[in-house]
Amino acid sequence: MAPALSFPVINMGLLGGEERPAAMELLHDACENWGFFEILNHGISTELMDEVEKLTKDHYKRVREQRFLEFASKALQDGGDDDARGVKAGNLDWESTFFVRHLPESNLAELPDLDDGYRRVMKRFAGELEALAERLLDLLCENLGLEKGYLPRAFRGPRGAPTFGTKVSSYPPCPRPDLVSGLRAHTDAGGIILLFQDDRVGGLQLLKDGEWVDVPPMRHSIVVNLGDQLEVITNGRYKSVVHRVVAQPDGNRMSIASFYNPGGDAVIFPAPALVKTEEAAAAYPKFVFEDYMKLYMRRKFEAKEPRFEAFKSMETESSNRSIAIA
């Protein structure tokens, strides 16, 4: 496994001073060569992050732990053979999760088992993350030479709203990490992902140059990674990266991943300013984000390239039909 010493960490406090050019260059390199980076001094208060962490861990202990232990017992009792649903342990993820939708409409009030205090804190935290995601997208625009606001506008679609939601996960201690993953290797389907992760228990890894690299736990940082849609819009200048969570024998890892994605009706295609004339035929496909998600849900744990190729094939077939009709 490659060491994590060179993992890109960006101090956003430097963006307002003389060191801005160096910080922007580090951000550009992280997006171009890693697809992952960690940010400090991002503007979200440490007090709010501490409150989110405490309430999330308390909620798992109070509401979800027993349910997970029952699942875990069944998943491992046959030593990796098919469970009652016909699913092998190797095709399961050692995680306890729930999902919160923020945009276009919040479902926070509808989720069972959350107390009012936790709802209020999560709503406030989501608002901070939404603003941070849009700030980061504009920084990416600047580095790519795109006009300010291009990426947020591309995400909004005809209805004028992105899709934004949070996956709250716990990765409890696993007695058989040789048998089951915390979360199987995949790329993320969407746009830009902001992760508030446990600073004591690791396990998140990304694949770089054929080796798995640890994403280092760091107090009060936000881990950022790029999804498939940004790879398409940037015409491959920035790429989504395969990552996984390795189950740990000790410790319960908290993970709060917020996905700032295009709206379901957004039409995704490479930014014209990033497509050279001679590359046009080899450019990424054009598709509606909702259609991409339908394919992704069936093929999440497979390589992304066949997903892109599937839409390129559909584009070609549609173009050929149009020519034939003409």
Side-chain angles (χ1 to χ4, degrees):
M1 183 184 300
L5 296 177
S6 58
F7 185 86
V9 178
I10 299 164
N11 181 354
M12 293 189 70
L14 301 179
L15 294 172
E18 294 180 355
E19 296 183 70
R20 178 183 174 85
M24 289 295 286
E25 180 58 34
L26 179 59
L27 174 63
H28 183 61
D29 180 75
C31 292
E32 203 165 47
N33 297 309
W34 288 79
F36 263 81
F37 52 95
E38 207 152 355
I39 56 175
L40 303 173
N41 295 316
H42 39 66
I44 302 176
S45 75
T46 57
E47 292 81 9
L48 177 58
M49 297 180 80
D50 288 344
E51 193 170 9
V52 169
E53 180 176 2
K54 178 182 183 304
L55 290 171
T56 298
K57 290 182 174 179
D58 287 350
H59 177 263
Y60 173 78
K61 198 76 178 171
R62 179 174 56 85
V63 176
R64 306 188 65 85
E65 184 174 46
Q66 188 55 43
R67 299 177 196 168
F68 181 81
L69 292 175
E70 292 170 4
F71 151 80
S73 175
K74 292 176 183 176
L76 296 180
Q77 65 185 353
D78 296 324
D81 294 335
D82 291 2
D83 69 3
R85 296 170 296 167
V87 179
K88 287 185 177 296
N91 292 328
L92 295 172
D93 300 310
W94 193 264
E95 61 173 355
S96 170
T97 67
F98 67 93
F99 296 85
V100 184
R101 186 177 65 248
H102 310 299
L103 294 173
E105 293 181 0
S106 174
N107 70 341
L108 194 53
E110 303 163 14
L111 294 174
D113 304 323
L114 300 185
D115 61 48
D116 290 342
Y118 192 19
R119 292 181 208 275
R120 284 194 297 270
V121 168
M122 287 299 286
K123 182 177 180 180
R124 184 178 159 207
F125 189 49
E128 297 278 355
L129 289 168
E130 180 184 353
L132 179 58
E134 294 187 349
R135 182 185 176 196
L136 286 167
L137 288 175
D138 274 337
L139 292 173
L140 268 56
C141 285
E142 184 178 340
N143 270 337
L144 290 163
L146 297 171
E147 62 178 303
K148 184 176 181 179
Y150 181 92
L151 290 172
R153 285 195 301 274
F155 277 31
R156 290 191 184 112
R159 296 191 190 119
T163 304
F164 182 45
T166 298
K167 176 186 176 186
V168 182
S169 303
S170 295
Y171 296 90
C174 179
R176 293 293 307 276
D178 60 312
L179 191 63
V180 63
S181 299
L183 180 60
R184 288 162 286 165
H186 64 288
T187 63
D188 288 326
I192 190 165
I193 298 88
L194 308 182
L195 169 68
F196 175 27
Q197 69 166 346
D198 204 294
D199 67 316
R200 296 182 181 87
V201 184
L204 177 61
Q205 297 179 336
L206 66 94
L207 189 63
K208 179 169 172 56
D209 301 326
E211 294 190 74
W212 289 105
V213 178
D214 289 316
V215 177
M218 192 176 297
R219 186 72 175 158
H220 295 138
S221 72
I222 296 289
V223 177
V224 182
N225 72 282
L226 310 182
D228 295 348
Q229 306 312 300
L230 276 179
E231 178 167 338
V232 173
I233 296 172
T234 66
N235 199 36
R237 289 280 298 277
Y238 296 164
K239 289 185 169 62
S240 60
V241 171
V242 174
H243 54 285
R244 68 182 183 182
V245 176
V246 178
Q248 303 294 310
D250 301 299
N252 188 348
R253 177 178 176 268
M254 179 197 73
S255 165
I256 302 175
S258 295
F259 299 80
Y260 190 96
N261 294 341
D265 60 345
V267 179
I268 304 300
F269 55 91
L274 300 180
V275 180
K276 297 177 182 178
T277 304
E278 64 271 20
E279 294 176 343
Y284 284 77
K286 180 178 182 179
F287 50 79
V288 175
F289 178 60
E290 185 176 32
D291 293 337
Y292 187 87
M293 283 303 300
K294 290 175 183 176
L295 179 61
Y296 179 85
M297 294 306 293
R298 300 197 304 269
R299 301 182 181 178
K300 175 177 179 177
F301 299 109
E302 300 175 15
K304 63 187 172 183
E305 289 80 8
R307 297 196 291 266
F308 294 151
E309 287 301 321
F311 281 102
K312 286 179 72 173
S313 297
M314 283 187 266
E315 264 192 306
T316 301
E317 290 171 9
S318 177
S319 176
N320 289 340
R321 282 197 299 271
S322 297
I323 293 171
I325 292 171

